[in-house]
Amino acid sequence: MKAGAVTPGKTDSARVVEMPIPVPEPGEALIRLLEVGIDGTDLEISLGRYGDPPPGQDFLVLGHEAIGLVENSGSTDLVKGDLVVPLVRRPDSCINCRTGQYDMCIEGNYRECGIRGAHGFLREYLAEAPDFLLKVPQDLRQLAVLAEPMSIVSKGVEQAMEFHRRSANPIQAALVLGAGPLGLLAAAFLRVQGYNTYALDILPKSSLKGRLMEAIGATYIDGSDCRIDELPRKLGNLDLIMEATGNSTVAFQAMSALGINGVLCLMGVSTGEKRLEICADCIDMQIVLGNKVVFGTVSSNRGHFERAIQHLGEIEQEWPGWLTRLITQRLPLGDFKDALHPAPDSIKTVIEMPQNMV
Ligand SMILES: [Zn+2]
């Protein structure tokens, strides 16, 4: 079978490789992959900044956002033809991993398919145990490839809401920084629950990202001509900020913009070594005297994936067709390298696996 792979640590090594079709172990099902989404982590891996191959191998199959069909259910409770989303992280033996919270692993010996120590899903077939497969309704066939990024957003927003519950005041204003896939999904999650939501990116309002934000009732702000730390003067107390740019400067500006009793969730990852001159005393004082929370979130567990599927269904029901507009490019597996050099206005590229195209 064919797979899209890289040599971790080596820039621009993406290529299509041939691999044997996996033979399921007892208790595993054989899955035929249909679609695989590409995200910023894949780009980082292809730039050689991140990623580890499985032990003893010199390449890593990319892809951690996928849907597939059960081809052979083996001895599992799945049925041939079931639509499934494979989960990404494989636990180690720490207390959180043993209790299903492998997104909160404390020992760090977990594996992540397509990222760290295990092949990803950008291949024609996968053999996997049901513990790491989530069955999803067939009517979400066109959307379920967004389950993984939605699971990240679900975890982030749910935890931000948990923190906000410390305070009796309702959320008056939420701000989403960044209008990539995570930012758009976060805004949709907040809007479908009726929150007054602002969204900012450094693109004009007339851009696709701006129009998608406005289409769900979020107020879009062109960040190229405004300062984030001045937003509270215009928007009032920002109770909740979801940071999804991965730009550390933006993350620190967001700390200054955060309102009284506010919660700032950092979802984006900064991988460089940028230095920044900040007023550390000011930020420290604002956070303490304002009862503010700043927290980071990464990965997701089965529960987040289950709720992500539910949230995708709710968003689709509220704004039919909006989620599929997030998929701005579809490429065959043979051209997957093109997805690793996205255009500035692209949002989500999905790779169509060979047998999905016939
Ligand atoms: Zn662990």
Side-chain angles (χ1 to χ4, degrees):
M1 67 172 182
K2 290 185 168 26
V6 298
T7 302
K10 197 173 163 195
T11 308
D12 274 334
S13 61
R15 61 200 182 276
V16 175
V17 298
E18 276 290 338
M19 297 173 74
I21 293 176
V23 178
E25 303 277 336
E28 289 184 340
L30 185 68
I31 310 301
R32 178 164 64 83
L33 279 313
L34 300 176
E35 295 177 353
V36 180
I38 300 294
D39 76 356
T41 302
D42 298 307
L43 269 52
E44 292 284 327
I45 295 170
S46 80
L47 288 169
R49 294 178 186 160
Y50 202 65
D52 291 308
Q57 301 204 15
D58 61 359
F59 69 98
L60 172 72
V61 175
L62 283 181
H64 55 275
E65 305 176 358
I67 55 169
L69 290 177
V70 175
E71 180 84 7
N72 184 340
S73 59
S75 57
T76 71
D77 291 337
L78 293 162
V79 174
K80 182 177 164 70
D82 278 350
L83 185 64
V84 291
V85 169
L87 309 188
V88 182
R89 201 172 265 201
R90 300 293 176 269
D92 60 22
S93 59
C94 83
I95 184 167
N96 281 350
C97 284
R98 280 186 277 123
T99 54
Q101 286 187 288
Y102 37 79
D103 57 309
M104 306 288 277
C105 178
I106 52 172
E107 288 181 356
N109 295 318
Y110 59 81
R111 293 174 298 130
E112 282 180 316
C113 297
I115 302 172
R116 183 182 171 188
H119 284 316
F121 311 132
L122 191 56
R123 50 176 154 151
E124 292 177 71
Y125 291 95
L126 165 76
E128 192 53 88
D131 280 355
F132 302 107
L133 296 169
L134 182 68
K135 187 178 162 183
V136 300
Q138 295 281 354
D139 61 358
L140 294 184
R141 165 76 180 78
Q142 301 302 320
L143 312 172
V145 73
L146 298 171
E148 196 276 342
M150 191 74 224
S151 74
I152 303 293
V153 166
S154 297
K155 177 184 170 187
V157 179
E158 284 168 14
Q159 294 194 350
M161 298 289 184
E162 281 292 315
F163 283 123
H164 190 269
R165 269 183 214 121
R166 305 169 305 154
S167 169
N169 70 296
I171 293 174
Q172 300 281 358
L175 172 66
V176 176
L177 296 170
L182 292 185
L184 283 158
L185 292 172
F189 185 117
L190 291 163
R191 285 296 305 138
V192 86
Q193 295 186 50
Y195 291 110
N196 176 31
T197 304
Y198 298 91
L200 180 145
D201 205 322
I202 47 170
L203 288 166
K205 206 168 199 163
S206 59
S207 64
L208 176 60
K209 290 177 179 178
R211 284 182 281 126
L212 284 167
M213 286 294 191
E214 297 265 318
I216 53 171
T219 303
Y220 182 81
I221 300 162
D222 181 351
S224 57
D225 57 9
C226 82
R227 285 176 49 130
I228 292 168
D229 50 6
E230 288 180 357
L231 287 176
R233 271 198 303 116
K234 299 174 189 165
L235 311 181
N237 197 67
L238 292 168
D239 303 294
L240 179 63
I241 302 180
M242 302 297 295
E243 203 296 311
T245 68
N247 181 324
S248 54
T249 305
V250 173
F252 275 88
Q253 288 173 346
M255 289 179 206
S256 298
L258 192 59
I260 300 292
N261 302 335
V263 182
L264 166 60
C265 172
L266 304 178
M267 295 192 293
V269 183
S270 317
T271 54
E273 295 183 12
K274 188 196 289 175
R275 303 284 164 145
L276 195 65
E277 190 167 315
I278 55 167
C279 176
D281 280 349
C282 308
I283 293 177
D284 180 58
M285 184 183 74
Q286 288 164 1
I287 290 176
V288 173
L289 298 186
N291 287 309
K292 303 179 189 186
V293 176
V294 179
F295 76 102
T297 182
V298 70
S299 191
S300 52
N301 64 40
R302 189 179 188 92
H304 303 123
F305 269 87
E306 287 171 352
R307 292 192 289 285
I309 292 295
Q310 180 193 325
H311 297 316
L312 287 174
E314 291 163 0
I315 294 166
E316 177 64 9
Q317 192 169 13
E318 188 73 23
W319 301 288
W322 184 85
L323 284 163
T324 48
R325 291 174 65 197
L326 271 53
I327 300 170
T328 45
Q329 188 180 31
R330 290 180 176 274
L331 293 172
L333 176 60
D335 292 339
F336 86 96
K337 282 185 285 184
D338 294 349
L340 302 171
H341 303 280
D345 56 349
S346 80
I347 298 173
K348 173 63 68 185
T349 297
V350 166
I351 310 300
E352 306 242 10
M353 302 310 286
Q355 296 186 34
N356 192 33
M357 301 176 71
V358 295

